[in-house]
Amino acid sequence: DLAVEVVSPSDRPDELLTRVRRCLEAGSDEVWVAYPGYRAVHQYRRDEPGLIRTYREGEQIDTSRILPGLTLAVRDIFQVEDEDA
């Protein structure tokens, strides 16, 4: 139902979009692309092919379609535990 891509510095935009398209064509309902350097997530939905939702730090990702009841903040995705803890 959900595919997640984490963008690395070596990823090319055209290759990334091809992977997103392939996931949606293969049956994923949503694809989330996480951009750690920008602390942002792009959300692609199979039922809304022309729309890309962008969520930034301080915002909640709309998970209602595939993960009802889950509240997921963008900051929680990119939160790194303190190594000394």
Side-chain angles (χ1 to χ4, degrees), residues 5-79:
E5 289 277 345
V6 179
V7 178
S8 69
S10 63
D11 281 328
R12 290 187 6 218
D14 59 329
E15 292 173 343
L16 182 63
L17 290 173
T18 296
R19 291 196 305 263
V20 167
R21 182 180 46 80
R22 286 182 180 161
C23 288
L24 294 172
E25 288 174 354
S28 294
D29 287 323
E30 292 187 15
V31 179
W32 297 357
V33 179
Y35 293 87
Y38 297 104
R39 293 184 173 259
V41 175
H42 288 179
Q43 180 186 56
Y44 299 81
R45 290 182 171 173
R46 186 166 25 122
D47 65 341
E48 298 176 310
L51 181 63
I52 303 168
R53 289 184 170 86
T54 300
Y55 299 95
R56 293 178 179 85
E57 197 155 11
E59 297 179 324
Q60 303 278 338
I61 297 174
D62 177 6
T63 62
S64 61
R65 284 197 56 246
I66 58 170
L67 302 166
L70 176 69
T71 301
L72 185 59
V74 171
R75 73 173 170 272
D76 293 339
I77 292 174
F78 299 108
Q79 184 175 352

